[in-house]
């Protein structure tokens, strides 16, 4: 191609030379014809490059070999039903998309943070990233770092953001990047379990606990650790306690329920950001987990980070990620580095206006949504919601309410014991309290979906009596 | 851009209309001038597309606000030594980078495919991808697909590439995307193990087997499966056999060693691409694993795919990836879709010259490298290498040699039993045969590093006697 464009350049030069020398009309005619033909070719070429269509010449070689109707194997309605019931992440035809009509099923079972799309659309090109074809091809990001698969720019922006927000003490910690905080959670279980144990270590969390904890702990039936349920009723001296704060599903601020010197804790701080809760202090624990899914809304990027104090633990977590996935996508890290940079720039650069401030945007939207939700619940009269105390947010400098990423809704209606089924009959998919170690009178509802979906939720809840 | 090319098309149409209507000379002059100007613009445009210049001016804003001296905690030399000895992936200061001097330690322990960088640099902007800040934020890629986290464009390009190369029957299979084929390997172990088993299922592979198989199978001490060693000496009826072909580390073409009706196989086809081996047939097995690391050289993208025949197995593999990492980076998938598209375009678009053909490039480079390696081994006189038979490659239509991604080198020197130590004393880091279930007289050496590193290898091997 480069060769072709050079030839074109040579020809083009020849034609302009020709004009300068005053050629006879035959030559002129040829020049004109050649030039016009060349335009047509280049226009066609550019159109094929930029319109993103499959270039026309490209499937003809193999087209005869493959039937046109070969398509992705699709799952039937029955399959999907099975999947919904069997999965932690329940997928239905409404997952990830806008409701097709006023009567559509709305899926608020998972915390898909699509409400942030509108912020990033508003940011325009600032949020974009271009990755060159030859870039980040190696397994290695930075071999001078203990976490050799961590992109330095991403590490830099993580520390910068924690300093800006003040939600965690990051500067003295090792940063470990993971394929979402789910992978880091498993890395931490691996790191905290003695390798030579004869009995799996007990993993506990106070109810209501995040529904993925039991499933993710037990799916491989590890000999290193096993799920042991509710921390508040656990009797034992040796354990790993998962402390999620603000808590998924109920938004409560938590500290460890247990306090044995042989016990270990993992702090899941996915929701400890100013849009959800007042930042009352800089968290400073042995292992703290964060994720871009809930901080900036980039769930599809599958990227989280752990702040880890102890070097031995950090090394074992890194070892887990080496064995599990040989590091973490560089593309995601490069993109997330830019995303975090834009977030911090929004606060630190004088040229950015308030519309560039992610946490302000998120906080405002969550405040409006929680107000609408509380009103709908009031109008309906058959539900209740947790109440939260306000507190001084050190990030904003203002007294602030709590607006959790999930609504932990209890159905108070007489005769309804299974709130999830009740709501499903009204075409609202939620996650039953059972998955969180609680009664089925409770459900968890995502507050992070797009406006259209959220508005349908409010409309439907208001109409239930 | 599409708009610009339409305008250009309209202008071009206007000029040819003008000619047909027989316009006066002024109009002719304008047509000529416009046409020539247009050529210059398009030439400049094409040059900028193909030369792959980094756009400037994009990351300058935040520099003054962040302390320059905040750096990652660094690991000491002693730590690194520990890490090298403890790890499957051994990291040293030379990993992923060019040798700093003629005397530098060269790390060829891992198969870091940096030799492909030069191809992708040559491709310029074609290999680039821009991802918008608001793009691919959801957990979900395509809920109509069983593998709901698989980007449709990536799936499309995978099928297209397999049709082009003819190395696997993909069209009737489910495609499952994974965070590298390492994750997919674990997903397959999970999917093939009966969930209600009381005894872990035995996982075997014929020696020499890929050194990661035992470690990745056993690190969590799963109750579902366990490493059981060499397939060729395995006595048993129920097992999972890993068949890597061409084999890592020795490049041999393999079929399953065992053949029980209760046995299951996973075919690891990471190296079944035309740069390494003749494509003799389209592989057609129950579970086939591929990765961009070894096909296009994008190891940092951490992306692989499985072709899976059976729907129940596919669903359990998907379930594993849900629990392990809640899907796979969309950024990596979007990038890889473009990378695979460029590879197929290189063969299927008539405008692309031979320099756009990845497999030709890879094959030529591997052929030169293997020739140099065999010469060095001959000059040295103390090593031996496997020999391979040539075969007709259906992709190229020519008889082709085998050029494995790794050299499986045996030290024949009297008194040297530990080839890895021997080479380490000459500042060449390799992986000992012990990790592959073989004697330490063998080592595995990556053939995929950058030219500078490879040339140092050749120089040093030639000088050993």
């Amino acid at each position: 191609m480069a060769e072709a464009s050079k030839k074109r350049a040579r020809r083009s030069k020849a034609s302009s030379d020709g004009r300068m020398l005053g050629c006879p009309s035959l030559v002129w005619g040829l020049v004109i014809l050649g030039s016009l033909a060349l335009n047509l070719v280049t226009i066609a070429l550019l159109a094929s490059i930029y319109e993103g269509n499959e270039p026309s010449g490209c499937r003809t070689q193999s087209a005869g070999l493959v039937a046109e109707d070969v398509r992705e194997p699709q799952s039937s309605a029955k399959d999907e039903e099975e999947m919904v019931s069997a999965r932690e992440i329940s997928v239905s035809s409404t997952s990830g998309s806008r409701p097709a009509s006023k009567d559509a099923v709305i899926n608020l079972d998972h915390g898909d943070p699509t409400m942030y799309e509108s912020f990033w659309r508003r940011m325009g090109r600032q949020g974009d990233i271009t990755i060159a074809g030859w870039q980040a091809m190696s397994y290695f990001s930075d071999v001078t770092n203990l976490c050799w698969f961590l992109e330095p720019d991403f590490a830099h922006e993580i520390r910068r953001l924690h300093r800006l927000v003040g939600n965690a003490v990051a500067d003295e910690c090792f940063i470990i990047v993971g394929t979402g905080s789910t992978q880091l959670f498993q890395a931490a279980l691996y790191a905290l379990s003695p390798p030579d144990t004869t009995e799996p270590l007990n993993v506990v969390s106070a109810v209501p606990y995040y529904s993925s904890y039991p499933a993710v702990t037990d799916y491989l039936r590890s000999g290193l650790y096993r799920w042991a349920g509710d921390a508040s009723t656990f009797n034992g001296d040796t354990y790993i306690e998962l402390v999620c704060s603000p808590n998924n599903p109920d938004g409560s601020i938590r500290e460890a329920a247990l306090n044995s010197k042989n016990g270990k804790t993992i702090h899941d701080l996915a929701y400890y950001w100013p849009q959800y809760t007042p930042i009352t202090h800089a968290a400073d624990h042995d292992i703290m987990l964060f994720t871009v899914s809930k901080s900036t809304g980039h769930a599809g990027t599958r990227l989280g980070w752990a702040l880890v104090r102890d070097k031995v633990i950090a090394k074992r977590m890194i070892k887990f990620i080496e064995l599990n996935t040989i590091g973490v996508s560089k593309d995601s890290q490069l993109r997330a580095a830019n995303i975090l940079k834009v977030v911090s720039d929004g606060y630190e650069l004088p040229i950015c206006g308030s519309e560039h401030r992610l946490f302000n945007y998120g906080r405002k939207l969550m405040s409006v949504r929680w107000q609408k939700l509380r009103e709908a619940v009031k109008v309906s009269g058959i539900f209740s919601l947790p109440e939260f105390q306000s507190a001084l947010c050190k990030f904003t400098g203002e007294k602030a309410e709590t607006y959790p990423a999930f609504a932990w809704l209890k159905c108070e209606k007489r005769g309804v014991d299974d709130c999830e089924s009740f709501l499903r009959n009204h075409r609202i998919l939620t996650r039953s309290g059972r998955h969180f170690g609680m009664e089925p009178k409770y459900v968890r509802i995502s507050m992070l979906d797009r406006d259209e979906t959220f508005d349908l939720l409010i409309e439907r809840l208001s109409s239930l009596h």
Side-chain angles (χ1 to χ4, degrees), chain A:
Chain A
M1 198 63 220
E3 191 52 31
S5 97
K6 279 182 207 157
K7 276 187 191 160
R8 216 167 291 134
R10 280 197 293 271
R11 269 186 277 168
S12 180
K13 189 168 181 298
S15 66
S16 59
D17 288 348
R19 193 171 48 172
M20 284 187 288
L21 293 170
C23 296
S25 63
L26 178 64
V27 177
W28 265 103
L30 285 173
V31 167
I32 293 159
L33 271 174
S35 181
L36 285 170
L38 203 49
N39 276 338
L40 288 173
V41 169
T42 46
I43 286 161
L45 203 60
L46 281 167
S48 82
I49 292 167
Y50 286 107
E51 280 174 10
N53 297 329
E54 195 76 44
S56 61
C58 120
R59 313 222 354 142
T60 47
Q61 285 190 353
S62 64
L65 300 168
V66 185
E68 276 303 308
D69 57 353
V70 173
R71 300 196 34 200
E72 287 298 305
Q74 303 223 343
S75 50
S76 66
K78 189 170 166 300
D79 291 328
E80 265 184 24
E81 214 172 287
E82 278 169 36
M83 284 154 68
V84 169
S85 64
R87 270 182 181 157
E88 276 311 299
I89 303 292
S90 72
V91 179
S92 80
S93 57
T94 59
S95 302
S97 57
R98 289 186 166 76
S101 71
K102 277 280 190 190
D103 301 325
V105 172
I106 51 173
N107 192 338
L108 297 165
D109 173 271
H110 39 77
D112 204 25
T114 44
M115 77 168 206
Y116 291 97
E117 276 175 3
S118 49
F119 176 82
W120 290 104
R121 281 187 190 273
R122 189 198 281 181
M123 286 299 98
R125 291 256 164 128
Q126 278 189 76
D128 296 3
I129 184 164
T130 297
I131 304 173
W134 49 264
Q135 211 178 333
M137 294 185 70
S138 169
Y139 287 106
F140 302 98
S141 292
D142 176 8
V143 290
T144 68
N145 191 323
L146 196 69
C147 188
W148 53 267
F149 48 80
L150 171 62
E151 284 292 314
D153 284 354
F154 184 47
H156 172 81
E157 293 298 340
I158 286 169
R159 293 195 201 279
R160 181 182 171 207
L161 188 64
H162 283 304
R163 281 196 298 266
L164 169 73
V165 175
N167 60 341
V169 176
D171 285 328
E172 300 302 309
C173 292
F174 294 93
I175 295 178
I176 302 169
V177 60
T179 311
S181 60
T182 302
Q183 187 182 39
L184 290 163
F185 160 60
Q186 292 162 81
L189 293 183
Y190 175 80
L192 294 176
S193 306
D196 53 353
T197 182
T198 49
E199 269 293 289
L201 194 56
N202 288 308
V203 178
V204 296
S205 188
V207 292
Y209 43 69
Y210 175 29
S211 53
S212 282
Y213 291 157
V216 171
T217 304
D218 278 348
Y219 71 121
L220 290 175
R221 293 171 46 192
S222 172
L224 300 176
Y225 47 77
R226 71 172 158 220
W227 179 248
D230 185 8
S232 50
T233 58
F234 178 75
N235 283 318
D237 183 50
T238 317
Y239 57 82
I240 299 172
E241 181 180 353
L242 310 168
V243 184
C244 185
S245 182
N247 190 42
N248 173 358
D250 69 356
S252 61
I253 298 301
R254 289 194 158 186
E255 295 187 357
L258 303 173
N259 188 22
S260 156
K261 69 176 171 44
N262 294 324
K264 289 152 183 169
T265 51
I266 300 170
H267 281 77
D268 180 348
L269 304 183
Y271 302 93
Y272 192 41
W273 294 100
Q275 63 269 52
Y276 306 121
T277 192
I279 303 301
T280 54
H281 68 289
D284 192 11
H285 305 286
D286 289 346
I287 301 178
M288 299 184 278
L289 308 183
F290 293 91
T291 165
V292 293
S293 300
K294 300 308 186 293
S295 51
T296 71
H298 290 84
T301 288
R302 308 306 316 117
L303 208 66
W305 66 95
L307 304 178
V308 179
R309 260 192 207 148
D310 183 77
K311 189 170 184 176
V312 175
I313 299 295
K315 281 168 87 167
R316 273 184 63 82
M317 287 181 71
I318 291 163
K319 175 89 179 158
F320 175 92
I321 294 172
E322 284 174 24
L323 289 162
N324 194 216
T325 54
I326 321 185
V328 175
S329 164
K330 311 282 179 256
D331 313 313
S332 287
Q333 292 187 65
L334 294 173
R335 185 179 182 205
N338 185 55
I339 292 290
L340 297 194
K341 178 183 178 296
V342 172
V343 174
S344 292
D345 282 356
Y347 289 90
E348 294 186 342
L349 289 190
I351 57 159
C352 293
S354 62
E355 73 280 9
H356 286 72
R357 299 187 167 172
L358 176 76
F359 303 120
N360 297 37
Y361 172 90
R363 184 148 196 87
K364 193 167 172 190
L365 192 51
M366 293 305 284
S367 130
V368 170
R369 286 184 172 197
W370 270 92
Q371 195 182 335
K372 284 185 183 174
L373 179 70
R374 290 197 187 274
E375 276 163 19
V377 161
K378 204 170 166 189
V379 167
S380 163
I382 61 167
F383 299 109
S384 65
L385 283 168
E387 296 292 334
F388 302 98
Q389 296 212 314
S390 58
L392 180 72
C393 177
K394 291 190 177 172
F395 174 66
T396 59
E398 289 168 8
K399 200 163 180 179
E401 303 288 320
T402 292
Y403 304 122
F406 296 103
W408 183 236
L409 191 79
K410 186 178 180 187
C411 185
E412 309 275 6
K413 187 181 167 83
R414 193 184 288 252
V416 175
D417 290 327
D418 184 342
C419 186
E420 189 252 324
S421 298
F422 176 71
L423 290 176
R424 197 199 301 164
N425 290 339
H426 294 91
R427 300 184 304 283
I428 304 168
L429 304 185
T430 62
R431 195 170 296 183
S432 169
R434 282 181 295 116
H435 300 294
F436 304 87
M438 294 284 282
E439 305 151 54
K441 273 188 177 299
Y442 289 90
V443 291
R444 191 193 74 169
I445 305 181
S446 169
M447 294 290 284
L448 303 183
D449 219 294
R450 297 186 184 94
D451 284 341
E452 300 93 313
T453 310
F454 181 79
D455 291 344
L456 276 186
L457 169 73
I458 295 303
E459 200 173 288
R460 287 185 199 167
L461 285 183
S462 311
S463 72
L464 299 178
H465 301 286

